[in-house]
Amino acid sequence: MWPALGLAMKTTLALAQPDYPPAHWVPPVGCNKWYTSGNGHHFCVIHDMEGYYESSISYLNNCSVSASVYYLVNGLQNGSDNLGHHENNPNDAPAGDITQSVREQYYAWHVRCWNTWMFGTEHEGFVSTPAWYSEAMYQASAGLQRHLCDTYGIPKDRNHIIGHNEWQNAAWRTWMTNNFPAINPTCNTHTDPGQYWNWSHFMSLIIDTAPVISIQPQSQAVNPGQNATFSVTASGAQPLAYQWSWNGGTLAGATNSAYTRTNVQPADAGAYSVVVSNQFGSVTSSNGVLTVNTAPFITAQPQSQTVFPGQPVTIPVGAGGTSPLNYQWRFNGNLIAGATASAYSIASARLTNSGTYFVSITNAFGYAVSSNAFLAIVPLAGWGDNSASQITSPPQATNLVAISAGAWHSLALRADGVIAAWGADWNGQADVPAGLKDAVAIATGGYHSLALRQNGTVAAWGANDYGQSAIPPGLEGVIAIAAGAWHSLALKADGSVVAWGNNSLGQTNVPPELAGVATLAAGGSHSLALKADGTLVAWGDNTDAGGSFVGQSVVPDGLASVVAIAAGEYHSLVVKNDGTVVAWGDNSQSQSSPPEGLTGVVAVAAGRAHSLALKADGSVVAWGANLSGQCNLPAALANAVAVSAGAYHSLALVDDGTFVPRLFSPVAIGGRFSVLLQTLNRKHYALEYKISPAASNWTTISNVAGNGVLKLLTDPAASVSPRFYRVRQWQ
């Protein structure tokens, strides 16, 4: 270290080049300040100047000064510190600038008795502060020391690369005594470069190692028009090379340890990283993310969805802009309390959730409003053949209580008594009579449709080739209906059955002794009647499409305890009270072979050659013909309460939780009260009464399971007057 003597401009000589190419060659003029012989160079000594770069060059090149050094390295360009050191040199060289004053072949005068053994490098600065020991200085000096070590075979370790104050290190003195006994390790008394010299970092820049990043590029947020600078601090063998990238793409010319993006615009946002390399390897930094402060903007609009009742729903939005982003969802224009996330979720969709959803997004710089997403809660699932749009339900098919699938058309009954119809209309089977608004039950045949009205009469429309749509005169008191391919059935409240339409195969020849019927089913050309005692009666066709006997009207021996029935084109299905299914008739496509282990069934439906079963848990099972996908159940189908099978398509009604049972045709005669109840499968119903409106307790008369059609409930002991009745529904 040398005292500062003020400012002096560096003299450059063009007559010779430095031994180390990055340096300037500036020797003393008019004198030689070195020894021409010595013991070989075995060490590199690190000094600090206790002064400034330019003035130290002048001082050491002064022929009257008995001191010299090989190299000098600048720490700060026109630097200063908080201890009162101020360089005051606007023409100062950049940090990391190197000057050579003594040729490497000679021996400079810088470390007393060590001179003939050691190289020396002076560094701008003071032992009292780390302010002058810049990264540029460390990098430049490390490259110089590597050059000296590699050129002269000096080991790159702390025994050979030492401070001017290394004499204070007892371990080093011992090592010197053992390895260089000819050198007196205590002939120096200087204390530079001092406690603030970062030896671990400095040595990491010298030793033959691949780069290591110690300070990663830092993420930052700026306003449009500002500059953004990313920097990295790395160590490793010098020289280090840098290459910056943006969003994975190389940035041309960005080859320094820092990269500045000027006049930043939103398009400049993204991930900035740098690859640091040297001859021993490379390392890639982590990303420094540049965020350009902007108002919110939508990257992915909310999407409309159609779901079944009970399904979970999530409506997300994608947005960008400066964080934090604040979200507020709205439903049909009204604020949704607590809906302040980037997605709005409904755990279990209900019909009341149908409507339009959008979200407003705000931050400190502005706002954005999404487009509308429409959520449709569709209680009706359809799958299979759609060649006549028979599974494409119309918008008015909402708030449904019953469904029915014909050959190529479909009907749905709304809670308000209105019928929705769609699909094939070749024979007017989808043309619901204009005045029909009081239906309580529906049925679809091959090409015609039936509806049971509140007053117990039947309406029919569509094909009438065989009189299947010509209601028998005087037909009333009906509580259930069924439609086959070309014939129709009606069940009266007294348990009798009326049939009309095609009778070519005896399908309308109701057995004369038939009575006590609870429900009906009509197939292609055969009919089924379930009696109240759980037995089954069948009549009509017993052959398949080819005329071979298959016995769809032959009830299996011993069949009893039946609770639900269905008739297909050429096969028959029943559900027993233990939840199992019995099937018979045509089995050419396995339509009469229920899946093994099928239990828990509450209702069945039969198409031309496929079968459906509704289970007590609301799931649906399908088997048989599947050429049109009529057995490919929708993945999300659950919580169904009704199923129906057409020729090649299938329908399922999903419970939306809003069904309220309706009562029809109450009758009180001779101490007996009866009423018709509209029911759903998988629901249970209790007829209850109390003796006055003010009474708090209800008395249960009967409990029944819903079956998707009308149930006749009775109170056989209604002689005490008055009684007030209600029906209670539960799952």
Side-chain angles (χ1 to χ4, degrees):
M1 56 186 173
W2 315 101
L5 296 181
L7 298 177
M9 291 300 297
K10 178 171 58 182
T11 302
T12 59
L13 299 179
L15 299 178
Q17 297 299 317
D19 295 323
Y20 180 54
H24 311 284
W25 172 239
V26 185
V29 177
C31 59
N32 295 331
K33 300 179 65 174
W34 52 76
Y35 302 123
T36 57
S37 63
N39 299 300
H41 295 94
H42 300 278
F43 299 86
C44 295
V45 180
I46 304 301
H47 303 271
D48 90 338
M49 300 173 186
E50 288 301 304
Y52 309 118
Y53 179 57
E54 301 282 1
S55 58
S56 294
I57 294 171
S58 297
Y59 174 77
L60 290 173
N61 280 341
N62 189 324
C63 292
S64 65
V65 175
S66 297
S68 61
V69 74
Y70 293 87
Y71 291 96
L72 302 94
V73 184
N74 197 13
L76 298 175
Q77 185 173 29
N78 194 23
S80 63
D81 60 37
N82 59 7
L83 298 180
H85 302 115
H86 301 284
E87 197 161 4
N88 295 322
N89 180 9
N91 297 314
D92 190 24
D97 192 70
I98 302 175
T99 294
Q100 182 180 5
S101 294
V102 175
R103 289 294 183 187
E104 293 173 4
Q105 70 188 81
Y106 300 132
Y107 297 87
W109 308 337
H110 62 107
V111 281
R112 296 186 178 181
C113 70
W114 301 350
N115 283 334
T116 58
W117 302 83
M118 303 183 183
F119 287 117
T121 304
E122 288 285 350
H123 298 80
E124 182 180 45
F126 304 86
V127 296
S128 57
T129 174
W132 300 82
Y133 298 158
S134 66
E135 182 61 24
M137 171 188 281
Y138 281 125
Q139 297 274 355
S141 182
L144 171 62
Q145 308 314 313
R146 283 185 56 80
H147 156 74
L148 295 172
C149 291
D150 291 342
T151 303
Y152 298 95
I154 301 172
K156 300 184 184 79
D157 60 42
R158 281 287 283 116
N159 285 324
H160 294 85
I161 301 174
I162 62 175
H164 199 175
N165 61 342
E166 210 67 45
W167 61 272
Q168 297 173 320
N169 182 347
W172 182 76
R173 293 198 305 269
T174 300
W175 182 87
M176 287 291 288
T177 299
N178 294 332
N179 292 276
F180 289 88
I183 300 176
N184 178 7
T186 62
C187 72
N188 278 284
T189 59
H190 288 233
T191 60
D192 58 307
Q195 62 177 323
Y196 296 115
W197 186 262
N198 190 339
W199 279 105
S200 61
H201 176 53
F202 185 58
M203 292 303 295
S204 73
L205 299 174
I206 298 172
I207 297 171
D208 296 339
T209 58
V212 175
I213 293 175
S214 56
I215 301 178
Q216 298 282 354
Q218 299 299 300
S219 296
Q220 55 190 288
V222 300
N223 295 327
Q226 292 182 323
N227 296 340
T229 297
F230 293 94
S231 62
V232 67
T233 300
S235 59
Q238 300 296 304
L240 296 178
Y242 301 86
Q243 179 57 65
W244 288 87
S245 296
W246 171 49
N247 290 337
T250 299
L251 290 167
T255 55
N256 296 318
S257 60
Y259 172 71
T260 298
R261 198 81 158 186
T262 60
N263 189 26
V264 168
Q265 298 301 316
D268 297 320
Y272 290 78
S273 63
V274 62
V275 175
V276 186
S277 60
N278 63 12
Q279 60 181 311
F280 300 104
S282 64
V283 62
T284 301
S285 74
S286 60
N287 289 328
V289 177
L290 175 60
T291 300
V292 182
N293 293 327
T294 58
F297 54 91
I298 307 294
T299 59
Q301 295 285 357
Q303 298 299 303
S304 296
Q305 300 181 43
T306 299
V307 300
F308 299 131
Q311 275 188 263
V313 176
T314 296
I315 306 174
V317 67
T322 301
S323 297
L325 297 178
N326 306 301
Y327 299 84
Q328 179 58 65
W329 288 88
R330 294 177 181 269
F331 171 54
N332 290 338
N334 299 314
L335 183 147
I336 306 173
T340 56
S342 60
Y344 177 63
S345 295
I346 302 170
S348 180
R350 292 290 180 262
L351 286 181
T352 53
N353 299 126
S354 293
T356 299
Y357 293 81
F358 70 91
V359 62
S360 57
I361 309 169
T362 61
N363 67 4
F365 304 94
Y367 70 94
V369 179
S370 75
S371 60
N372 292 331
F374 186 78
L375 177 61
I377 313 298
V378 179
L380 181 61
W383 62 98
D385 179 33
N386 198 35
S387 58
S389 299
Q390 60 266 50
I391 63 173
T392 305
S393 57
Q396 63 268 30
T398 59
N399 198 22
L400 305 181
V401 297
I403 54 174
S404 185
W408 284 278
H409 75 293
S410 303
L411 298 183
L413 174 61
R414 297 187 349 191
D416 61 3
V418 173
I419 297 172
W422 63 98
D425 197 29
W426 311 312
N427 300 97
Q429 62 265 48
D431 293 335
V432 181
L436 181 55
K437 299 182 183 299
D438 60 348
V440 295
I442 53 176
T444 49
Y447 310 92
H448 72 294
S449 303
L450 302 178
L452 174 59
R453 307 182 71 166
Q454 285 190 30
N455 62 5
T457 62
V458 177
W461 61 98
N464 197 34
D465 312 58
Y466 299 95
Q468 63 266 43
S469 295
I471 308 301
L475 181 61
E476 58 184 15
V478 177
I479 61 172
I481 51 177
W486 294 285
H487 73 291
S488 304
L489 303 176
L491 171 63
K492 300 185 67 173
D494 62 5
S496 63
V497 176
V498 178
W500 64 98
N502 183 23
N503 194 36
S504 59
L505 295 168
Q507 59 265 51
T508 62
N509 288 340
V510 180
E513 73 283 0
L514 182 62
V517 175
T519 192
L520 300 168
S525 296
H526 71 293
S527 304
L528 304 179
L530 173 60
K531 300 183 66 173
D533 62 4
T535 61
L536 185 70
V537 177
W539 63 96
D541 188 20
N542 271 309
T543 62
D544 62 13
S548 299
F549 179 84
V550 291
Q552 63 265 41
S553 296
V554 179
V555 178
D557 290 340
L559 182 63
S561 303
V562 176
V563 295
I565 60 175
E569 187 77 8
Y570 304 105
H571 70 295
S572 302
L573 303 174
V574 301
V575 180
K576 300 185 67 174
N577 63 2
D578 61 0
T580 60
V581 175
V582 178
W584 65 97
D586 183 20
N587 197 35
S588 58
Q589 298 191 65
S590 300
Q591 63 266 48
S592 295
S593 296
E596 185 176 353
L598 178 61
T599 59
V601 177
V602 296
V604 285
R608 174 155 291 180
H610 74 289
S611 303
L612 304 175
L614 172 63
K615 299 187 68 173
D617 62 3
S619 62
V620 177
V621 179
W623 65 96
N626 196 35
L627 185 62
S628 299
Q630 59 266 50
C631 290
N632 293 339
L633 303 175
L637 180 60
N639 205 30
V641 290
V643 290
S644 187
Y648 304 105
H649 73 289
S650 303
L651 301 177
L653 178 62
V654 179
D655 183 15
D656 63 7
T658 62
F659 176 73
V660 177
R662 292 194 298 163
L663 300 175
F664 307 103
S665 305
V667 177
I669 299 177
R672 178 184 178 89
F673 171 78
S674 65
V675 66
L676 286 174
L677 170 70
Q678 198 170 48
T679 69
L680 290 180
N681 286 298
R682 301 178 49 236
K683 304 286 186 181
H684 292 82
Y685 302 88
L687 178 63
E688 300 176 336
Y689 77 91
K690 60 183 180 179
I691 59 175
S692 75
S696 58
N697 295 325
W698 291 87
T699 300
T700 300
I701 300 170
S702 61
N703 290 322
V704 296
N707 61 355
V709 296
L710 298 182
K711 283 277 190 177
L712 182 62
L713 305 180
T714 62
D715 177 7
S719 57
V720 178
S721 182
R723 282 190 175 185
F724 298 86
Y725 293 94
R726 74 173 185 183
V727 171
R728 181 166 52 89
Q729 172 185 273
W730 70 96
Q731 190 71 37

